[in-house]
Amino acid sequence: MTKIQDQLRWRKYLLRKKYLMLQGLVTGHIWSYDQEEGLIDRLRSIYYDGIPLSVWLLSFGYTFEKCFETAFMISYGFDGDEFRLVNADVASISLNPKPKYSKEGISVSLDEAGYGNHFFAERTMKDGQVLVYDGTDGLIYDKDTYYQIERPKVVRIISEEGTDEWPEFKARFTTRWEDNEEAMRVAFDEVEELVVRENGPYQHLLREEWARFKKEIESKKMELTPSSQVTPKSSCHNDY
């Protein structure tokens, strides 16, 4: 396809996506994290690098292009329900011509497998309904609605048991921040900056979660003097 054809295809997709998103929000087939009872509470009680998952996942400054991490994180809020992580090429990435033409000399086909690589989580509810949680856009979808929008070409399915493939990554998740206090001290300033800069739809809820966590730390009479900062790596388009 030519550059013009790619752009026209992209615009057509965006119009269709906007229509399906609006329809899904109106009909209740798409909703936000705070509309699911207990989800934020459950995420608040699990820590990644000593920071509550509720804080990481409500920050669009953090979740941008971190599809693997966020799919993994959100699964801790599933209350024991069966889940799987899905690695797939999705339309909102694979049809976007901007990366293809962003630098001179790039000659990647938009139809090439792997160009639109993405991770999301699928949760099977007790009544059999399957929901999709996309951590990079912070929304929950009925599976049929998500698949209509993103038209995923599945590359790999990772079962709950299959997540044991990354033991070092899983070890960063704890039920008490004190169990990973050193990592928390290192990450604290970075997260504080993320919270201050956040302007996404969850900004008020994020600040409430962060204030709650800081109060929890202060109750331990702890002084935070991080020695350095860490920058969580982006993991869309990678080889996890």
Side-chain angles (χ1 to χ4, degrees):
M1 283 191 178
T2 66
K3 181 176 181 179
I4 292 176
Q5 287 174 320
D6 284 338
Q7 290 174 338
L8 289 174
R9 184 171 67 163
W10 175 238
R11 289 177 184 176
K12 182 179 179 181
Y13 167 73
L14 287 179
L15 287 172
R16 180 176 180 272
K17 179 178 180 178
K18 183 177 181 180
Y19 169 77
L20 291 173
M21 291 287 292
L22 288 172
Q23 184 182 56
L25 290 166
V26 170
T27 59
H29 291 94
I30 302 174
W31 59 99
S32 57
Y33 292 162
D34 54 325
Q35 291 178 290
E36 179 177 313
E37 185 179 357
L39 178 64
I40 299 299
D41 292 339
R42 293 190 292 272
L43 294 172
R44 185 187 301 136
S45 65
I46 304 294
Y47 302 83
Y48 174 71
D49 284 348
I51 305 293
L53 293 185
S54 57
V55 171
W56 290 119
L57 287 167
L58 293 173
S59 169
F60 277 47
Y62 171 74
T63 61
F64 180 67
E65 291 191 345
K66 292 187 173 65
C67 54
F68 176 78
E69 287 96 328
T70 56
F72 208 114
M73 287 177 175
I74 197 69
S75 69
Y76 281 87
F78 291 169
D79 199 25
D81 290 336
E82 180 185 347
F83 74 89
R84 62 185 194 169
L85 306 185
V86 181
N87 180 210
D89 295 342
V90 295
S92 61
I93 301 175
S94 62
L95 295 182
N96 186 351
K98 185 176 180 180
K100 178 182 179 183
Y101 297 108
S102 61
K103 293 182 181 179
E104 187 177 352
I106 290 181
S107 58
V108 177
S109 168
L110 297 182
D111 298 310
E112 180 180 333
Y115 178 83
N117 193 248
H118 188 57
F119 274 93
F120 53 88
E122 290 185 359
R123 173 189 184 184
T124 302
M125 306 296 284
K126 293 176 175 60
D127 62 2
Q129 181 185 17
V130 180
L131 304 179
V132 170
Y133 293 70
D134 192 323
T136 57
D137 66 17
L139 292 172
I140 307 168
Y141 302 76
D142 171 79
K143 181 178 178 178
D144 289 343
T145 300
Y146 187 82
Y147 274 59
Q148 284 180 47
I149 294 170
E150 291 293 357
R151 296 176 282 186
K153 297 178 181 178
V154 176
V155 176
R156 184 184 181 192
I157 299 292
I158 303 168
S159 66
E160 182 175 358
E161 294 76 18
T163 61
D164 291 335
E165 185 177 336
W166 300 280
E168 292 183 3
F169 182 56
K170 291 190 76 170
R172 296 167 74 175
F173 293 84
T174 60
T175 55
R176 300 189 323 139
W177 61 264
E178 295 96 325
D179 294 335
N180 211 345
E181 182 179 325
E182 183 178 351
M184 187 272 287
R185 287 177 177 273
V186 171
F188 187 89
D189 276 1
E190 175 203 357
V191 178
E192 179 97 326
E193 185 175 347
L194 286 172
V195 173
V196 170
R197 292 184 177 184
E198 182 64 37
N199 61 359
Y202 292 128
Q203 58 181 301
H204 298 300
L205 186 56
L206 170 63
R207 286 167 186 150
E208 288 176 6
E209 289 297 308
W210 185 237
R212 184 194 300 266
F213 179 58
K214 288 175 71 173
K215 186 175 181 180
E216 181 182 345
I217 292 174
E218 289 164 3
S219 71
K220 303 290 185 180
K221 309 292 185 186
M222 176 179 292
E223 288 186 21
L224 288 168
T225 54
S227 58
S228 63
Q229 285 189 327
V230 292
T231 303
K233 69 178 181 178
S234 167
S235 62
C236 282
H237 314 284
N238 65 13
D239 296 321
Y240 271 115

